[in-house]
Amino acid sequence: MRLLLPIFLMIFACGWCNGLRILGLFPLNGKSHWMMAERLMTSLAERGHQVDIVTHFPMKNPPPNYKQISLDGTLTAVVNNINMENITRFGRMNIEHLIEVAGTSICELLSHKELQDVIRRSKDRYDLVITELFAAPCYLAFGRHLNKPVIGIITSTFHEWLSTLTGNPANPSYMPGLFSSYSQRMTFWERLQNTFLTNLISWQMNYYLDQQAVYVKKFFNIDASIPELYQDLAAILVNSHHSINGVRPMTTGVIEVGGLHINENSDPLTPELKKWLDESTHGCIFFTFGSMVRIETFPKPFLETFYKVFERIAPVRVLMKVAQKKNLLPGLPKNVMIQSWFPQATVFKHKNVKAFITHGGLMGTLEAIYFGIPMIGIPLFGDQITNLRNAASKNIAVNLGSVENVTEENLYNAIDTILHDETYRSSMQTISKLFKDRPISAIDTAIYWVEYVARNGFALQSPAIHLNWWQQNLIDIYGFIIVCLVVVFYIAVFLVKKLKNRIFGCKPCVKKQTSESKKKK
């Protein structure tokens, strides 16, 4: 016993000494974006690292070493606050508006007292910075301000507009853009459209994002362009996986950790919910439009369609997420249970859950794939359209395409197909197996590379990050070669003409001599 105590104290002391001091910056108030960040940051704290986290979603019972810098209430809440009118507006959103909502307004939060306190703190307080890469690259300035490496998190597949900025390969001939619904095997016209779309979106995104340099100057007093700030990225964690997104070339510093947010040891089922699922011997369908959308605000005919279909599929049961029960249309069928929140991963684990009706949000889609639950898709806006088209192409979902396509027969046939066509369950099991077949889990992969960056700095950074786009794409090299070929061709033509004139004579000269001789005569 006397020997064990010193050993224990030594291990504890070493773990304490090796603990990192990490600043996590997640000022976007989207709950789905936060899920990935929360899992990573809480896991780092549980491993003994000191984590200071900027978030709109503070935990009630955070783990030790986890300090929360709350921005709750600084922006309009979007959790359970999106109605049908908002969805229609989001569907018409252009790039400029997207940057305004998810970028400019987020940069303006740098004036908040809590963030100003972080900026004024000692530069030796942290070992590295972790932040989301989406539409507010102004927060990359924390890395330059603190003189520390930055790790970026992308909560979707890799953004094509970051390719040149981060030195990551991009080839639209077989790499669909973030907002493209094409597979990796495209026809000529699909490749043409994909090339045009990805380049147009990349140009627009970078054009509007570059304007955030004014916030970098204002709040950090740093004279740096946005592209220069991306050079402080030491690694990027991406929420993708080859089993779903296809095989793509990536630099060593771009690390796929798709499904990182999924935790099999999530909240347990309540006794009421467990009893409902256990008794759903004919199967149960889980139905949610995510953390933001309030389905009770949808038009009456839309909700009545669901009520009719749910009655038709009885005795199959349904779990339906409804934010405010009092606002829901009356007449809910008896085989439907509604709650304002469900422990989604735990629900998916239950043996009687057979299908998932979803809007196609990436986090929920990845959870369904992980637990092998085929889907019925009704996309609302954003990348949901692409996510569900891709899922349908893999035979793991029936995609209705839009809210406008939801009729009683369409919805009933989609549910009936998912429940009784073994093709979808078999395909989903295959994809699920590929998705989970990894040397180590997504969360352990992410933590390893975070600690690696802390030990080794910018060892993973691509040298291409220091080249301009025209240098990365060898435009200068190809241009030089073309000029050289033109010069060589011109010289060759000139020499041939000279040689021809010497051998056969100069025709203009002969004509001139003939005309002169005629004049003399």
Side-chain angles (χ1 to χ4, degrees):
M1 189 69 178
R2 291 180 180 178
L3 289 173
L4 290 175
L5 183 59
I7 292 172
F8 174 79
L9 291 174
M10 182 177 68
I11 293 172
F12 178 81
C14 289
W16 177 263
C17 292
N18 291 331
L20 300 173
R21 298 164 299 172
I22 302 172
L23 174 62
L25 300 161
F26 301 95
L28 185 66
N29 60 332
K31 182 70 172 179
S32 58
H33 288 250
W34 168 243
M35 290 172 65
M36 181 178 174
E38 182 181 44
R39 179 79 197 286
L40 174 61
M41 304 310 288
T42 54
S43 297
L44 285 167
E46 290 166 358
R47 303 288 176 101
H49 302 300
Q50 176 61 47
V51 174
D52 290 1
I53 186 80
V54 174
T55 176
H56 292 271
F57 307 98
M59 300 174 64
K60 292 182 179 179
N61 299 303
N65 309 327
Y66 189 85
K67 180 182 178 182
Q68 301 178 101
I69 303 168
S70 177
L71 297 178
D72 187 23
T74 58
L75 294 175
T76 302
V78 294
V79 175
N80 290 328
N81 201 30
I82 304 298
N83 56 33
M84 189 64 190
E85 182 181 346
N86 300 137
I87 291 169
T88 303
R89 188 171 69 251
F90 289 160
R92 296 194 298 263
M93 185 180 291
N94 57 30
I95 297 297
E96 184 179 8
H97 190 196
L98 173 65
I99 300 301
E100 176 64 31
V101 172
T104 305
S105 63
I106 305 301
C107 291
E108 289 172 351
L109 286 177
L110 288 167
S111 63
H112 192 272
K113 178 182 178 299
E114 295 286 0
L115 282 169
Q116 282 295 301
D117 288 343
V118 175
I119 293 173
R120 287 192 291 264
R121 287 175 186 172
S122 169
K123 294 186 178 182
D124 295 326
R125 186 182 182 97
Y126 300 107
D127 297 307
L128 57 86
V129 178
I130 302 178
T131 189
E132 182 181 2
L133 303 179
F134 182 49
C138 54
Y139 282 80
L140 292 173
F142 275 94
R144 187 155 299 196
H145 175 69
L146 300 173
N147 194 27
K148 301 298 179 185
V150 180
I151 295 176
I153 289 181
I154 298 178
T155 59
S156 64
T157 56
F158 191 84
H159 303 156
E160 58 262 28
W161 57 87
L162 295 181
S163 296
T164 299
L165 295 171
T166 59
N168 200 57
N171 190 331
S173 67
Y174 66 95
M175 297 169 64
L178 180 64
F179 299 110
S180 169
S181 60
Y182 300 131
S183 68
Q184 288 195 301
R185 296 184 178 182
M186 292 177 268
T187 65
F188 170 82
W189 293 111
E190 288 173 341
R191 284 187 286 115
L192 177 64
Q193 293 176 65
N194 187 58
T195 300
F196 177 78
L197 184 64
T198 54
N199 281 282
L200 177 62
I201 290 177
S202 296
W203 180 85
Q204 288 182 306
M205 289 292 294
N206 289 321
Y207 173 79
Y208 291 113
L209 292 177
D210 286 351
Q211 298 173 16
Q212 294 180 11
V214 296
Y215 295 101
V216 176
K217 176 63 177 177
K218 178 179 178 180
F219 294 110
F220 297 92
N221 196 29
I222 294 175
D223 291 309
S225 65
I226 296 301
E228 288 174 335
L229 294 180
Y230 280 102
Q231 295 179 5
D232 296 333
L233 281 170
I236 302 174
L237 305 176
V238 186
N239 194 23
S240 63
H241 191 261
H242 64 267
S243 63
I244 303 168
N245 308 108
V247 175
R248 301 181 179 212
M250 293 185 179
T251 66
T252 311
V254 178
I255 301 134
E256 288 194 307
V257 290
L260 178 149
H261 72 288
I262 301 171
N263 186 359
E264 291 204 50
N265 299 317
S266 57
D267 296 337
L269 301 173
T270 63
E272 178 189 18
L273 183 54
K274 185 178 185 305
K275 183 174 184 294
W276 175 274
L277 287 172
D278 288 344
E279 294 176 352
S280 301
T281 54
H282 294 277
C284 185
I285 298 171
F286 182 46
F287 175 27
T288 176
F289 278 163
S291 61
M292 299 191 300
V293 177
R294 292 173 53 200
I295 194 171
E296 63 272 22
T297 67
F298 280 55
K300 180 180 178 182
F302 182 82
L303 293 175
E304 286 178 338
T305 297
F306 276 90
Y307 286 8
K308 291 175 183 177
V309 172
F310 290 160
E311 281 184 328
R312 286 178 64 181
I313 65 172
V316 174
R317 290 179 165 184
V318 178
L319 293 178
M320 180 176 172
K321 183 249 178 184
V322 176
Q324 297 181 12
K325 300 178 183 180
K326 63 181 180 180
N327 296 331
L328 187 65
L329 183 72
L332 190 73
K334 295 180 180 180
N335 62 327
V336 180
M337 171 189 278
I338 61 172
Q339 289 187 5
S340 59
W341 176 85
F342 289 97
Q344 190 159 296
T346 312
V347 168
F348 282 140
K349 287 170 62 177
H350 198 281
K351 64 180 182 178
N352 289 335
V353 175
K354 304 299 183 184
F356 178 35
I357 302 177
T358 175
H359 63 311
L362 184 58
M363 299 303 178
T365 300
L366 292 179
E367 289 177 5
I369 290 172
Y370 186 90
F371 292 106
I373 308 297
M375 299 173 283
I376 298 99
I378 307 171
L380 303 177
F381 55 83
D383 67 338
Q384 299 161 13
I385 299 169
T386 302
N387 295 338
L388 287 172
R389 283 178 179 171
N390 289 339
S393 70
K394 292 178 170 59
N395 285 328
I396 60 175
V398 172
N399 181 23
L400 294 180
S402 69
V403 172
E404 287 74 20
N405 294 333
V406 178
T407 64
E408 182 178 346
E409 287 307 310
N410 284 347
L411 182 60
Y412 177 80
N413 289 336
I415 293 175
D416 186 65
T417 299
I418 289 295
L419 291 178
H420 300 109
D421 188 340
E422 189 58 31
T423 301
Y424 289 89
R425 185 161 299 277
S426 176
S427 297
M428 180 60 93
Q429 293 298 328
T430 300
I431 297 293
S432 179
K433 182 179 178 181
L434 287 172
F435 185 63
K436 292 189 288 187
D437 192 355
R438 316 182 192 194
I440 58 176
S441 67
I443 185 64
D444 288 336
T445 300
I447 290 174
Y448 172 82
W449 289 112
V450 168
E451 295 172 342
Y452 180 94
V453 167
R455 293 192 301 268
N456 302 296
F458 294 91
L460 299 176
Q461 191 183 76
S462 169
I465 201 171
H466 302 289
L467 300 176
N468 294 314
W469 69 268
W470 44 272
Q471 292 173 315
Q472 287 188 29
N473 291 284
L474 297 175
I475 302 299
D476 53 343
I477 301 300
Y478 293 136
F480 177 77
I481 292 173
I482 290 171
V483 169
C484 288
L485 291 174
V486 170
V487 170
V488 169
F489 179 77
Y490 177 81
I491 292 173
V493 170
F494 178 79
L495 292 175
V496 168
K497 284 184 176 181
K498 285 291 185 182
L499 183 61
K500 179 183 176 183
N501 291 338
R502 284 188 175 275
I503 297 174
F504 301 104
C506 177
K507 287 185 177 180
C509 294
V510 172
K511 287 182 179 180
K512 185 177 180 182
Q513 290 175 358
T514 304
S515 62
E516 287 179 353
S517 61
K518 286 182 178 179
K519 286 180 181 179
K520 288 180 181 179
K521 290 180 179 180

